[in-house]
Amino acid sequence: MSRVLCRAVFTLRIKVPLACNMSAYLIDDPKYAFLKDLGLEKKNIGVFNGKWEANGRVIQSISPANGKVIAEVQAGSLSDYEGCASAAQDAWHSWAELPAPARGEIVRQIGDALREKLQPLGQLVSLEMGKILPEAIGEVVEYVHVCDLALGLSRSLPGTVFPSERPGHILIEKWNPLGAIGIITAFNFPVAVFGWNSAIAMVCGDTSVWKPSETTPLVAVAVTKIVEGVLKKNDLPGAVAALCVGGKEIGQQLVKDPRMKLVSFTGSTAVGHQVGVEVQTRFGRHLLELGGNNAIVVNEDANLELLLSAALFACAGTAGQRCTTTRRMLIHKKVYSEVVSKLAKSFAGVVNKIGDPLLSETLIGPLHTPAAVEAYKKTVAEAVKQGGKIEFGGKVIEREGYFVEPTIITGLPHDSPLVKSECFAPIVYCIEIPDLETGIKYNNEVDQGLSSSLFTENLGNVFKWIGPHGSDCGIVNVNIPTNGAEVGGAFGGEKATGGGRECGSDSWKAYMRRSTVTINYSGAIKLAQNIKFGDE
Ligand code: NAD
């Protein structure tokens, strides 16, 4: 029964059960039959420690596109978390003894299992998180790509041999797994972020406990069922990849737990700061992937056609809910007016393509929660109060679900607190710059340091941008948007973005411990630096 109809029923004072939506979960609607292809039911267990068992509260998973309940997930209690952590630690002993290429083979099979479920899993991401289907499928593809990357890594994990200064000695750098690790993820990449961590951690020989966002529990259950299927087929303990759905209380427990040798945390800077301090207090290891405040610098020599097609997706795509979404456009004064008016025009062109993220004609889906809509409204109102001008958008869209207009704001100072903070919604501030040097300065003046992009046709500018006095971000792009990274490179950012790196390059090092080994095969003791200690 629709909300409008429910309201009408109450106005007429006809006696109907109070909970209008109780029986009408979306999972019962044949339109969402893909949920059953993923093994999901109306009531799901959100804890997996080798067995599915949960004793915590029941979470209703809501679709942001219509505010309706998709299905329920029973979260974990603190003692369920305890069960996950000890099972993951037990599973580690056998998992770590498997040769890395054998672990890679398991990850390869997970990649294949994901390929088989690409469509339904993508549809679920779209339904539960709210991003459009091509992006949601892209997110699953990203996990598949990380599995491919991890498979290669499983046969090439390096270890170095160094020359020793002592005759008959050898110096080896040996990498070993850490043990059990904790993975805490944000709502906006409910598959990929787990995949980035899990696939690499698995080939490195670690087991994991995953605490997903409490607003995307169905995705977490579906992904874990896929991984469980592969582990089971290979007679491996399920707790190699344990899951504990829950809120902040489960996250806090995991962060404090000394059995979690690494806590990989993806989420807001405010929470990540607490997590980092807590993990450091127990001398654990942390990998922080936190908020961004990403800028595109548009130089006077930019190819504007290229820029405009990139900027639309960068600013408005995913309804502004990527950590790498462009939040600031720093535009050279010579092209400022042209860029702002053309950007507003291209925003106008997508407004009629805002809607149900599962439909093929949709380009922009909803915000994830009513709280996100409130944050959007508050930010727009505050910007106007401070003298900002809304060049486009600024309004909540009156329809079921949590939809807002992509928004362009001009007229705020580059260093206003609003411009310097991350509002996780499709709001971009356009700021005029007199020259590239100022653009770089403004790019770097925010606390966050995730992604950045320069549009220029000049090679000298490119090298300035990527050099020591260029962008201070972890991701430094040229002539592409700030969002949409590939798995081969290391992903992450500096400063208040946390400094962590995941995925490609040498990010695997975060999931392993390093031993420097010196082996003496000379038959005589010889000290380094030629130190004589009681020698004749
Ligand atoms: P959030 O910080 O609210 O929550 C993230 C996770 O932390 C959730 O699983 C949540 O339950 C858990 N959590 C909350 N309080 C906790 C605590 N005290 N201890 C331990 N865990 C706790 O973030 P969100 O709203 O889900 O995600 C949006 C944010 O994530 C944005 O700031 C975005 O930029 C950032 N993000 C960053 C990256 C990156 O790679 N840098 C990627 C995706 C999202």
Side-chain angles (χ1 to χ4, degrees):
M1 192 183 289
S2 77
R3 278 174 171 180
V4 178
L5 191 52
C6 278
R7 234 178 282 132
V9 166
F10 284 122
T11 323
L12 290 170
R13 292 180 189 279
I14 292 170
K15 280 191 181 168
V16 290
L18 263 175
C20 298
N21 279 328
M22 270 303 271
S23 56
Y25 285 1
L26 297 183
I27 194 161
D28 295 324
D29 185 338
K31 192 171 150 193
Y32 304 107
F34 59 82
L35 294 169
K36 303 228 161 113
D37 295 346
L38 295 164
L40 295 173
E41 293 164 19
K42 202 161 176 174
K43 290 172 196 287
N44 302 277
I45 305 290
V47 178
F48 180 66
N49 57 25
K51 285 188 268 170
W52 290 92
E53 50 194 6
N55 298 288
R57 69 198 153 96
V58 171
I59 298 175
Q60 292 189 324
S61 169
I62 311 284
S63 168
N66 51 35
K68 292 178 184 160
V69 180
I70 307 168
E72 290 178 350
V73 177
Q74 185 164 17
S77 61
L78 290 180
S79 72
D80 290 333
Y81 165 76
E82 179 55 37
C84 287
S86 60
Q89 203 183 29
D90 287 349
W92 178 71
H93 297 292
S94 52
W95 182 247
E97 286 305 322
L98 277 184
R103 297 193 295 256
E105 165 57 17
I106 303 302
V107 173
R108 185 193 68 75
Q109 291 180 32
I110 292 172
D112 280 353
L114 287 163
R115 281 182 176 95
E116 278 171 29
K117 298 286 183 197
L118 206 58
Q119 188 68 20
L121 192 53
Q123 285 170 297
L124 170 60
V125 169
S126 194
L127 181 67
E128 192 177 47
M129 183 275 156
K131 62 180 70 174
I132 58 170
L133 189 55
E135 288 187 66
I137 289 180
E139 194 180 331
V140 185
V141 168
E142 205 168 332
Y143 188 176
V144 171
H145 286 172
V146 188
C147 289
D148 291 348
L149 181 90
L151 172 64
L153 187 64
S154 75
R155 288 195 177 265
S156 59
L157 274 169
T160 313
V161 180
F162 298 104
S164 169
E165 67 189 43
R166 289 169 278 188
H169 287 61
I170 192 161
L171 265 179
I172 297 174
E173 195 166 76
K174 173 83 173 72
W175 292 87
N176 282 305
L178 287 177
I181 67 159
I183 303 172
I184 300 179
T185 54
F187 78 85
N188 65 326
F189 275 90
V191 171
V193 171
F194 170 71
W196 295 348
N197 282 283
S198 170
I200 304 291
M202 281 179 90
V203 297
C204 289
D206 300 331
T207 57
S208 62
V209 179
W210 179 18
K211 206 300 281 172
S213 168
E214 56 272 45
T215 55
T216 53
L218 290 170
V219 170
V221 170
V223 168
T224 301
K225 280 181 187 291
I226 291 169
V227 176
E228 177 199 12
V230 172
L231 292 170
K232 213 178 203 168
K233 207 167 72 188
N234 291 277
D235 280 328
L236 288 163
V240 164
L243 168 73
C244 192
V245 167
K248 179 177 161 174
E249 67 296 345
I250 301 293
Q252 283 170 323
Q253 191 74 4
L254 185 156
V255 166
K256 277 194 281 191
D257 187 346
R259 288 168 298 183
M260 297 296 120
K261 302 296 179 209
L262 163 74
V263 175
S264 174
F265 175 87
T266 302
S268 58
T269 292
V271 177
H273 186 260
Q274 293 168 26
V275 168
V277 169
E278 189 65 44
V279 176
Q280 184 60 39
T281 303
R282 62 172 174 87
F283 289 113
R285 201 188 280 194
H286 55 64
L287 192 170
L288 301 175
E289 294 284 357
L290 314 179
N293 189 350
N294 319 295
I296 292 181
V297 179
V298 185
N299 200 35
E300 58 182 317
D301 61 352
N303 174 336
L304 293 189
E305 214 175 301
L306 204 67
L307 164 79
L308 287 159
S309 63
L312 180 62
F313 177 59
C315 304
T318 335
Q321 298 168 110
R322 283 182 183 241
C323 49
T324 51
T325 291
T326 300
R327 314 225 174 259
R328 297 174 297 146
M329 296 273 291
L330 308 173
I331 309 165
H332 195 282
K333 61 183 179 199
K334 286 198 182 144
V335 291
Y336 179 81
S337 307
E338 183 184 352
V339 169
V340 174
S341 73
K342 286 190 172 159
L343 193 62
K345 233 186 217 162
S346 59
F347 271 42
V350 292
V351 163
N352 62 354
K353 293 185 175 138
I354 298 176
D356 183 346
L358 279 163
L359 297 179
S360 60
E361 62 269 26
T362 303
L363 284 184
I364 299 173
L367 286 179
H368 186 56
T369 57
V373 176
E374 282 313 306
Y376 166 88
K377 273 166 52 179
K378 207 171 138 203
T379 302
V380 171
E382 188 57 32
V384 172
K385 200 167 132 200
Q386 290 184 18
K389 180 178 172 214
I390 296 177
E391 300 284 348
F392 187 84
K395 292 189 290 300
V396 173
I397 299 173
E398 290 305 328
R399 53 170 288 171
E400 64 172 9
Y402 317 135
F403 293 89
V404 300
E405 291 175 346
T407 300
I408 302 171
I409 296 177
T410 56
L412 287 182
H414 63 90
D415 56 355
S416 109
L418 218 48
V419 173
K420 288 175 84 176
S421 62
E422 179 196 49
C423 172
F424 219 55
I427 300 172
V428 64
Y429 301 104
C430 290
I431 286 151
E432 195 175 297
I433 52 167
D435 48 40
L436 178 59
E437 287 64 32
T438 310
I440 295 173
K441 186 171 149 225
Y442 290 0
N443 176 72
N444 295 351
E445 75 182 351
V446 295
D447 290 340
Q448 309 86 343
L450 182 51
S451 186
S452 56
S453 183
L454 168 67
F455 278 75
T456 182
E457 294 292 290
N458 177 301
L459 197 57
N461 290 339
V462 171
F463 282 98
K464 191 178 288 178
W465 175 241
I466 67 172
H469 294 100
S471 167
D472 65 359
C473 293
I475 297 168
V476 182
N477 292 336
V478 177
N479 293 337
I480 64 158
T482 50
N483 52 1
E486 299 176 24
V487 301
F491 183 89
E494 303 296 337
K495 305 189 293 184
T497 302
R501 290 295 188 280
E502 284 170 335
C503 231
S505 184
D506 65 350
S507 306
W508 60 270
K509 288 181 176 171
Y511 304 86
M512 301 194 87
R513 63 181 174 81
R514 174 196 337 227
S515 317
T516 301
V517 182
T518 309
I519 301 170
N520 173 9
Y521 59 92
S522 71
I525 291 298
K526 204 142 180 61
L527 300 181
Q529 293 84 45
N530 228 1
I531 293 171
K532 308 274 183 237
F533 189 78
D535 297 357
E536 282 305 301

